[in-house]
């Protein structure tokens, strides 16, 4: 039996995903050592391998078949637009993709003014404004702490993830429009889905059984 390889988005999501894998009998002892510098972890009993990567790289590994399965946020799946199957909503890491800004920006949004939109998600922002809203805007790509942009005058609004809303509140910003709900998803390589159909379907079925 060959190894099935799972790519996990580094961070909170990976820990939650491994808890879920453990619950369905796919534990990986090697991965529990917090001091390890290893990049890939193998479980011989279940013939599974797991590795952590930057979230935005998870769909890439899965599209090319370097990983058969992946666990990653819907935000990353939408932004990367890779060819793969999204098979399961894990119902964890729930949050929303939103257009946010100071309350005064609401009118400028409504009147379709040529505003600037700062975001870590230029693909999602472009699709939302240009395709869905038919609104021309200037998209500015940032790499983090996007809430700073409207505060210092880089942009009128931002497109970003809102979880508790605390970051917005503490910085005098609010949700102006909701783009879509987000959560962690399981993704599968399109060839693996056929070649390893039995094992992968059984993982999906078992996971579905423990999802709240
Ligand atoms: C994310 C997101 C918001 C924040 C939202 O940032 O970009 O900044 O979390 O969470 P809240 O609604 O609970 O306050 P992350 O911590 O991933 O870092 P980043 O600023 O580098 O994007």
């Amino acid at each position: 039996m060959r190894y099935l390889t799972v790519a996990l988005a580094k961070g909170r999501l990976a820990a939650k995903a491994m808890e879920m894998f453990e619950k369905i009998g796919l534990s990986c002892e090697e991965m529990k050592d917090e001091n390890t510098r290893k990049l890939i972890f193998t479980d011989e009993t279940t013939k599974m391998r797991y590795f952590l990567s930057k979230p935005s790289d998870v769909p890439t590994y899965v599209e090319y078949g370097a990983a058969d399965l992946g666990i990653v946020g819907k935000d990353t799946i939408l932004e990367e637009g890779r060819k793969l199957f999204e098979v399961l909503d894990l119902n964890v890491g729930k949050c929303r993709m939103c257009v946010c800004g100071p309350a005064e920006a609401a009118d400028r949004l409504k009147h379709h003014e040529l505003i600037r939109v700062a975001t870590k998600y230029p693909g999602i922002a472009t699709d939302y404004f240009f395709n869905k809203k038919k609104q021309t805007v200037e998209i500015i790509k940032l790499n983090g702490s996007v809430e700073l942009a409207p505060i210092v005058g880089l942009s009128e609004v931002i497109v970003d993830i809102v979880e508790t809303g605390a970051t917005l509140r503490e910085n005098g910003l609010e949700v102006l429009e909701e783009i879509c709900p987000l959560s962690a998803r399981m993704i599968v390589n399109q060839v693996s889905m056929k070649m390893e159909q039995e094992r992968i379907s059984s993982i999906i079925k078992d996971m579905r059984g423990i999802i709240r």
Side-chain angles (χ1 to χ4, degrees), residues 74-75 78 92-97 161 180-185:
K74 178 69 178 175
D75 51 320
L78 289 171
V92 296
K94 288 175 117 176
C95 48
R96 301 176 291 156
M97 185 64 74
I161 291 173
C180 62
L182 303 168
S183 56
R185 308 291 160 98

Side-chain angles (χ1 to χ4, degrees), residues 12 120 143-147 160-168:
R12 279 172 290 181
K120 283 206 293 192
N143 295 297
S145 303
V146 178
E147 290 84 355
D160 201 16
I161 291 173
V162 179
E163 192 180 349
T164 62
T167 313
L168 292 179

